[in-house]
């Protein structure tokens, strides 16, 4: 969901860059905001349903710390996207707006970081480790 939102935002920025009306940009910003908010909601549900707590072990502490810091960055990105949406209605965005490009760049950065977080937390942690790594 979060990665798809980057493509939607890119579509809106491209339309704005080609000097089309801000309507496409507004739609793209609204959809991106909705997708980002849905991502935060799903992550919150996932946190609630985890069978472990922050202080259970090193993995649980790392899990909540890493995903929590990422969620904080997503929320900051949502605030920035919300400001950009409001500015688009005020007519402050258009063409090659630096504010729009910086907001989009930040959102894309957050999405790339999610790829690293997802790979680390959800994929690498599930790989089989050699026996000597499981020694107690």
């Amino acid at each position: 969901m979060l990665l798809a939102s980057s493509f939607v935002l890119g579509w809106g920025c491209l339309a704005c860059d080609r000097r089309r009306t801000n309507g496409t940009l507004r739609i793209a910003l609204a959809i991106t905001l909705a997708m980002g908010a849905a991502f935060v909601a799903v992550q919150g549900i996932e946190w609630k349903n985890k069978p472990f707590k922050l202080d259970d072990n090193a993995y649980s502490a790392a899990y909540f710390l890493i995903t929590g810091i990422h969620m904080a960055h997503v929320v900051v990105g949502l605030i920035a996207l919300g400001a950009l949406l409001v500015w688009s209605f005020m007519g402050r965005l258009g063409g090659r707006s630096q504010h729009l490009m910086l907001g989009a760049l930040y959102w894309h950065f957050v999405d790339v970081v999610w790829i690293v977080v997802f790979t680390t937390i959800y994929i690498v942690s599930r790989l089989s480790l050699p026996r000597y790594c499981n020694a107690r």
Side-chain angles (χ1 to χ4, degrees), residues 7-89:
F7 288 101
V8 173
L9 182 59
W11 165 68
C13 290
L14 186 61
C16 187
D17 190 39
R18 292 183 176 167
R19 306 219 187 277
R20 293 183 186 158
T21 63
N22 276 345
T24 304
L25 175 63
R26 290 179 190 135
I27 291 167
L29 285 169
I31 292 170
T32 303
L33 272 165
M35 293 173 86
F39 177 83
V40 170
V42 167
Q43 189 68 41
I45 292 167
E46 184 177 343
W47 283 347
K48 183 181 176 189
N49 293 328
K50 282 293 178 196
F52 51 82
K53 298 180 299 189
L54 174 68
D55 59 352
D56 282 355
N57 55 45
Y59 174 80
S60 66
Y63 170 82
F64 284 111
L65 179 67
I66 292 169
T67 58
I69 289 171
H70 184 262
M71 278 299 103
H73 285 94
V74 171
V75 169
V76 168
L78 290 173
I79 292 168
L81 291 173
L84 290 170
L85 182 59
V86 169
W87 289 350
S88 74
F89 280 106

Side-chain angles (χ1 to χ4, degrees), residues 67-125:
T67 58
I69 289 171
H70 184 262
M71 278 299 103
H73 285 94
V74 171
V75 169
V76 168
L78 290 173
I79 292 168
L81 291 173
L84 290 170
L85 182 59
V86 169
W87 289 350
S88 74
F89 280 106
M90 295 171 62
R92 294 182 62 186
L93 298 179
R96 296 180 183 254
S97 167
Q98 288 182 358
H99 295 98
L100 177 60
M101 292 304 122
L102 287 173
L105 183 63
Y106 180 83
W107 191 252
H108 297 318
F109 167 76
V110 167
D111 289 349
V112 169
V113 169
W114 179 244
I115 294 170
V116 175
V117 169
F118 183 84
T119 302
T120 303
I121 296 293
Y122 296 96
I123 296 174
V124 172
S125 66

